[in-house]
Amino acid sequence: MRGRGWAVAGALVLLLPVGPRTAFAETGWLPQDLESADRIGLVLASGTLRLDEAVGPSASLRRESGVRATGLATFPEQALERPTDTVDVRVGSSGDPEDVLAEVRGVRADGMWTEWYPAPDHGGRIMLSVDVFRVQLRVGVDGVDTAVTGLSVRPLEGTGDIPAGRSDEPSPDPSPEPSPDDPAPEPSPDPSPEPSPDDPAPEPSPEAGPRPDDGDGGDPDGDGGDPPEDKIDHGDDIPERPFSARLFATRIGLVGETTANGHIIRENDHFVALPSRRGLATRGGGEYTVRVCSTGALGPEGEGDTEDHEARCAYLPVWDVGPWNITDDHWNDDRQSWRDLDRGRPQAQAAYTQGYNGGLDGFGRRVRNPAGIDLADGAFNGGLRLPTNGWVQVDYLWTGEYRHRIEVTTSTRRDPVVVRSGAGPEHPAVGLAAHKANIDVICQETGAPATGPQGTGDTWYRIGEGDYIPAVYAEGGADAPACR
């Protein structure tokens, strides 16, 4: 049920002031072909999408009881006639409408995806954070007796304007089933407590940490592409640097299990889980990538030598949802749940360290550690070389601006690229960059020759402060300036 799992859609609508714009022609709805969707935990039966009862919860949530299984269907992206920040979505379903959640996202000015924004029950108007020129829909199902019978989207004029002949009510149901009630409001959380002196995590900075980077976008494979110059307003206010927060990290493990985006976990895998679907990448995609750096602070109490610690960093796509919660996009100002908490403070961290929400997570379970991010085994052991669970600095790269975006590629399509402190193998290894990770190149310089999926060359990309990878292990970035 959405009261236990899905987000309340209205909480995520961003009302951003923008100027007047030319009206859209009444082009009608763009229906989604249910058969075309990339399905995870769903089956197509009698022309409807239904939950596959044999599938359990996603990997990061599977360790705890009381979490229901969900299915997800992601549809191909669709081009719009002109940019807009407002779309209309309608959903047809049978069964309990609270068991269905439709979401939409769009490609922004720098070619990257916005985050996913949910629609009200059975559809309605959604305002995105910026103008977009392509959109993509996905739908989740959270009940065995519920089915999706139809899904459509259409662009609106922008800034919340309503097309002629249409009221501000939810869109009509495209299926023969009756329309449901509005979504139930979320319960109010406990008031935010005063900061605890025992909490080892300092307040996050709105800018990236000491060695910053970025993400991807596009079709279900994750490449949003470059927007046509005449399609987008380059004056959109996109933050220049990604948001950064200090989180407690735990190890996922669970080899052989399936993540929320359909990835089968391998040994020594390289991805992360975050406690919200808003930044969940498509299957095998890297459009939402984080940069995770060790801090030397270990255990919930943050013990260890942090002053002399030499940080290692890993660049990792977001392929699962968890730990603890599924609607806690703590990196956003206008967060989906627990809005009284400070930006960058996960609900589970507040519950563990300060007794927030009675010490319980969003499912009513006792929080046993302050984890705000889960790391796959390869990232935990090989990327950061953590001896145990500990505090890490996380940059949410898609929240920044991409100017020279690359997608990391490896010939095995699973092994990461070694990140070095300089432009050559003679420099120490300081981390790893996962296959498909989307990163913004700061600059490029000539270094030692290397051979990779893109051939042989001596160009190296600086992707963060003291972080270098060979250009032959990346798609894009050739337009990056020379390092000085």
Side-chain angles (χ1 to χ4, degrees):
M1 298 291 291
R2 192 174 302 186
R4 294 179 298 202
W6 303 128
V8 176
L12 289 177
V13 176
L14 300 182
L15 301 176
L16 301 182
V18 293
R21 57 189 79 200
T22 305
F24 275 93
E26 183 63 48
T27 56
W29 295 94
L30 302 174
Q32 307 298 298
D33 180 4
L34 299 186
E35 191 173 355
S36 71
D38 177 27
R39 301 187 297 274
I40 302 162
L42 294 177
V43 294
L44 186 65
S46 301
T48 65
L49 292 174
R50 294 181 176 275
L51 192 66
D52 184 348
E53 298 184 42
V55 176
S58 60
S60 282
L61 299 173
R62 193 180 295 270
R63 293 172 295 190
E64 307 295 336
S65 61
V67 181
R68 301 202 322 177
T70 61
L72 194 67
T74 304
F75 295 86
E77 65 180 80
Q78 293 177 292
L80 303 178
E81 290 184 352
R82 67 189 71 176
T84 184
D85 63 357
T86 310
V87 296
D88 202 2
V89 175
R90 62 183 181 186
V91 184
S93 66
S94 61
D96 190 339
E98 291 191 352
D99 287 345
V100 177
L101 177 64
E103 299 167 292
V104 66
R105 65 177 183 174
V107 177
R108 66 193 198 194
D110 59 356
M112 293 299 301
W113 287 108
T114 68
E115 291 186 353
W116 292 98
Y117 289 79
D121 285 343
H122 272 228
R125 184 175 57 192
I126 301 174
M127 291 191 66
L128 304 174
S129 55
V130 295
D131 276 357
V132 300
F133 66 97
R134 291 205 295 272
V135 294
Q136 187 173 34
L137 275 73
R138 74 181 180 190
V139 62
V141 179
D142 188 21
V144 296
D145 297 323
T146 299
V148 174
T149 59
L151 186 66
S152 298
V153 63
R154 68 171 174 177
L156 301 183
E157 295 180 13
T159 71
D161 296 334
I162 305 169
R166 180 178 180 273
S167 68
D168 195 17
E169 295 299 318
S171 306
D173 187 344
S175 76
E177 298 297 328
S179 296
D181 297 330
D182 291 334
E186 286 191 10
S188 299
D190 293 346
S192 182
E194 293 297 320
S196 168
D198 298 327
D199 189 346
E203 292 303 315
S205 164
E207 294 188 348
R211 299 192 323 193
D213 287 283
D214 310 33
D216 160 2
D219 59 22
D221 290 333
D223 185 8
D226 296 324
E229 288 297 321
D230 60 347
K231 287 278 189 176
I232 216 75
D233 178 6
H234 290 277
D236 286 334
D237 185 18
I238 300 174
E240 293 185 357
R241 299 188 66 183
F243 179 74
S244 184
R246 184 168 174 168
L247 306 180
F248 188 71
T250 51
R251 185 177 65 87
I252 293 177
L254 301 173
V255 173
E257 300 286 1
T258 303
T259 67
N261 77 343
H263 173 70
I264 307 299
I265 299 178
R266 302 181 293 247
E267 292 185 0
N268 297 316
D269 224 332
H270 296 268
F271 67 90
V272 306
L274 291 177
S276 169
R277 289 160 45 95
R278 294 199 65 186
L280 177 66
T282 50
R283 190 197 309 250
E287 62 268 37
Y288 306 111
T289 292
V290 292
R291 176 174 177 266
V292 185
C293 299
S294 61
T295 66
L298 303 176
E301 291 74 29
E303 300 174 346
D305 182 5
T306 57
E307 290 187 5
D308 297 327
H309 176 73
E310 294 185 5
R312 288 180 60 86
C313 296
Y315 298 79
L316 306 162
V318 183
W319 284 356
D320 205 9
V321 178
W324 296 112
N325 293 302
I326 62 175
T327 64
D328 187 18
D329 54 325
H330 52 257
W331 55 88
N332 285 323
D333 266 329
D334 186 18
R335 64 197 289 171
Q336 184 173 355
S337 303
W338 302 290
R339 295 182 172 211
D340 55 329
L341 290 176
D342 291 335
R343 185 184 185 192
R345 182 174 296 277
Q347 187 272 344
Q349 179 182 325
Y352 180 85
T353 61
Q354 301 167 260
Y356 179 83
N357 196 40
L360 306 178
D361 71 357
F363 294 97
R365 304 170 301 182
R366 179 66 54 185
V367 175
R368 301 193 306 271
N369 63 55
I373 187 171
D374 265 347
L375 307 178
D377 289 4
F380 191 97
N381 297 319
L384 302 188
R385 297 180 181 173
L386 295 175
T388 186
N389 297 336
W391 295 89
V392 296
Q393 193 70 31
V394 179
D395 297 343
Y396 307 81
L397 301 186
W398 67 91
T399 66
E401 181 182 8
Y402 291 80
R403 296 184 179 179
H404 312 288
R405 178 173 61 87
I406 61 170
E407 181 174 273
V408 175
T409 60
T410 62
S411 57
T412 64
R413 303 183 63 83
R414 57 180 295 173
D415 294 319
V417 175
V418 174
V419 176
R420 298 190 177 275
S421 62
E426 69 275 15
H427 297 277
V430 293
L432 298 173
H435 175 69
K436 283 292 186 178
N438 276 234
I439 308 168
D440 198 44
V441 174
I442 298 173
C443 61
Q444 58 179 305
E445 66 179 66
T446 301
T451 300
Q454 308 302 318
T456 299
D458 58 3
T459 298
W460 287 67
Y461 290 149
R462 181 154 72 91
I463 57 175
E465 183 180 337
D467 288 353
Y468 290 80
I469 64 171
V472 292
Y473 284 95
E475 294 181 358
D479 60 343
C483 297
R484 296 180 179 180

